[in-house]
Amino acid sequence: MKKIILFLAPMLVVLFGIPLAVALVVMTVSAPAASEELRTIACGGPIAGTERWQPPLQQAAFTVFQRGFGRESHSSSRQRRMPTGQDLVKPKPSGGGLVVAIGAGKHRGFDIWVDNAPIDSIAWLHAHGVSSTGQVVALSTPNPNPLTLPAGGNPIEEGGVGFPLPPPGQPRQASLHNPPLPIPAAIKGYYVAAADRYAIPWALLAGIGMEETGHGRTTATSVAGAQGLMQFMPATWASMGVDGDGDGRADITNAADSAMSAANYLTKSGVTKGPEGVRRAIFAYNHADWYVNDVLYYAAAYGGGIVLGGVTYCPPGQGNPNLPPLTNQRLRTVLEWAISHVGDRYIMGANGPDAWDCSSFTQAAYHQIGISTPRTAQAQRDWLAAGNGFRVDPTQARPADLIFYDSYLGPNTIGHVAMVLDPGQQSTVEAMSTSRGVTYGSYAGKAVTAHIFEIWRVGNVADAPTRTTA
């Protein structure tokens, strides 16, 4: 049996019977106090839960006080009111002899709110596999609608989560009087190839192609000087133009290059960063609200699609290097949890308790110390950059730092996250792939081979500020 011993400051990790000395460097800070847990900075949009839902009073049987859902007469005030939930009550003791119950017994209120309004929590419990006696029939499974990798996806996978392209809003302009045109087969092929490389819906590129040139039907240079299928300005092309057909050069008038460069531009502009990120990326392409809505209208007409990314949006940031680092005790909790799950399965989109993808694994590890991070690798990095952590030089990495790099989502989007285990050996603990599961890995050489390679340190933050003594 493999034996793992974990101590921090100093820390000795025994992996596969081979001792690895790991020096833990604790930063010295003056203010705020290193023992203080600062409140996390939230990003826009919901943050997904870190684990499968679990029923209340899970460790003991309970019964549901069936009072129904709706207005009732309150016993003390004699007024009718709208209860927002149900009471879950532990059963009274049973057995021979006289039983005297003092007070109302242990119970817990259970409410479910959707869009700021209460719903029938009993119906919700039943729908999520819990009987009226509190017995768990079947807990929720990992993501019921897992997304598949694009063609040629990297074997190191992450996410399995995403969101549909947002619907168009108002105002609109060209789409009000120009219906979506059929897409020539060759042009659609360019859209699809670019979408596969950058892991975005091809219909989004079709929306831009329709808005700009009717899929190449307009060939003239615009009055502003924009050229090609996707209408790039030469100055923008200088930084965003890429080779789309493999001839070794990026030609602004080449349709394959133009479509690939549009995908490059959108992903560099943050199109995978939630619905708000989609709108911001299209706006970066052409600074007009009506343009954004036109493109989304056409994209929907061509079938829409799912964006592989998180639903949260964090504006660009550089992190906060003045944050105190995690205390030794909190670091130990994160690492002990991560190591204890080595051997678990990798399932794209899974959220535990014994199967994970890379970002749900790191999310759950930090959840052990009261830190809620976003769901995907890119969103976790952006959350850190928003002020919940800071970037560190790879030579200064320490255990529990997070490593981010691009993978199957294309060269402009972070697609994988791993956790530093031993900086001296450049080893990791991570949910790696379907073939290897949760395992020990290495980040040696990754900075050279990856388009994106960053190491970030989580600050001593928590969902609610508290005082600790570690």
Side-chain angles (χ1 to χ4, degrees):
M1 174 179 283
K2 177 177 62 183
K3 183 179 181 182
I4 299 173
I5 304 173
L6 177 62
F7 299 100
L8 292 181
M11 181 172 77
L12 176 66
V13 184
V14 179
L15 302 179
F16 307 105
I18 303 175
L20 301 174
V22 181
L24 176 64
V25 179
V26 179
M27 296 178 60
T28 302
V29 295
S30 55
S35 62
E36 182 179 5
E37 295 175 14
L38 305 178
R39 182 180 292 276
T40 53
I41 298 173
C43 298
I47 293 181
T50 57
E51 299 176 5
R52 298 190 307 179
W53 103 276
Q54 295 180 351
L57 302 178
Q58 182 183 6
Q59 302 303 319
F62 62 86
T63 56
V64 177
F65 180 69
Q66 293 280 11
R67 65 186 177 198
F69 183 73
R71 289 194 171 273
E72 66 174 11
S73 179
H74 191 251
S75 58
S76 59
S77 65
R78 299 185 182 277
Q79 295 178 343
R80 292 181 64 79
R81 67 177 186 178
M82 175 70 172
T84 59
Q86 297 285 357
D87 287 336
L88 309 182
V89 185
K90 285 190 175 182
K92 296 178 181 180
S94 60
L98 179 65
V99 176
V100 178
I102 305 297
K106 290 192 76 172
H107 72 282
R108 183 171 298 174
F110 182 68
D111 294 19
I112 297 291
W113 290 64
V114 176
D115 294 331
N116 296 318
I119 65 171
D120 186 352
S121 53
I122 299 306
W124 194 93
L125 279 172
H126 291 168
H128 287 75
V130 180
S131 70
S132 296
T133 62
Q135 180 181 1
V136 179
V137 178
L139 287 177
S140 60
T141 57
N143 188 353
N145 297 299
L147 304 178
T148 57
L149 283 172
N154 192 295
I156 293 181
E157 306 152 359
E158 184 272 335
V161 294
F163 57 91
L165 286 171
Q170 295 294 339
R172 284 167 40 211
Q173 189 166 298
S175 64
L176 294 174
H177 49 81
N178 293 333
L181 298 172
I183 306 174
I187 300 298
K188 182 177 179 180
Y190 300 146
Y191 295 152
V192 171
D196 282 347
R197 179 174 176 183
Y198 289 91
I200 60 176
W202 73 266
L204 178 58
L205 296 173
I208 292 176
M210 173 62 207
E211 177 76 5
E212 295 288 357
T213 64
H215 308 301
R217 291 174 174 86
T218 300
T219 58
T221 299
S222 74
V223 289
Q227 303 176 44
L229 171 68
M230 308 300 266
Q231 290 290 278
F232 274 92
M233 297 293 291
T236 305
W237 185 264
S239 60
M240 295 294 172
V242 294
D243 177 16
D245 60 2
D247 65 358
R249 63 193 185 96
D251 180 358
I252 195 171
T253 62
N254 180 289
D257 294 357
S258 190
M260 194 70 70
S261 299
N264 181 43
Y265 193 3
L266 289 171
T267 52
K268 282 188 175 180
S269 300
V271 76
T272 63
K273 300 180 180 181
E276 180 63 21
V278 172
R279 298 188 64 87
R280 288 174 182 265
I282 301 172
F283 188 87
Y285 203 97
N286 190 328
H287 302 321
D289 289 331
W290 57 262
Y291 180 88
V292 174
N293 293 318
D294 275 354
V295 168
L296 290 174
Y297 175 85
Y298 288 131
Y302 292 120
I306 298 294
V307 181
L308 298 181
V311 296
T312 59
Y313 176 80
C314 285
Q318 300 298 319
N320 181 3
N322 296 318
L323 284 174
L326 290 171
T327 63
N328 286 1
Q329 180 56 51
R330 299 184 84 198
L331 275 177
R332 174 165 26 211
T333 300
V334 170
L335 288 169
E336 284 180 339
W337 183 91
I339 291 173
S340 73
H341 284 270
V342 168
D344 283 1
R345 296 170 298 157
Y346 181 105
I347 297 178
M348 199 174 189
N351 292 304
D354 57 4
W356 316 88
D357 59 33
C358 75
S359 55
S360 70
F361 182 72
T362 54
Q363 184 188 47
Y366 274 94
H367 180 66
Q368 307 308 308
I369 58 172
I371 298 178
S372 295
T373 72
R375 176 60 178 81
T376 64
Q378 178 70 63
Q380 288 178 12
R381 182 269 179 199
D382 294 342
W383 174 86
L384 289 164
N388 296 296
F390 50 93
R391 189 173 175 180
V392 297
D393 187 276
T395 62
Q396 301 299 314
R398 73 171 190 173
D401 285 348
L402 296 178
I403 307 166
F404 299 97
Y405 54 89
D406 61 285
S407 61
Y408 77 102
L409 293 177
N412 298 331
T413 304
I414 291 169
H416 192 72
V417 57
M419 187 181 300
V420 174
L421 181 62
D422 179 0
Q425 300 294 322
Q426 300 185 61
S427 64
T428 65
V429 56
E430 59 184 293
M432 184 176 288
S433 64
T434 52
S435 60
R436 297 193 60 184
V438 177
T439 187
Y440 301 108
S442 172
Y443 60 96
K446 187 62 67 176
V448 176
T449 59
H451 294 89
I452 302 171
F453 178 83
E454 299 177 4
I455 298 181
W456 286 76
R457 183 164 300 154
V458 180
N460 200 42
V461 297
D463 292 347
T466 60
R467 277 281 184 180
T468 63
T469 57

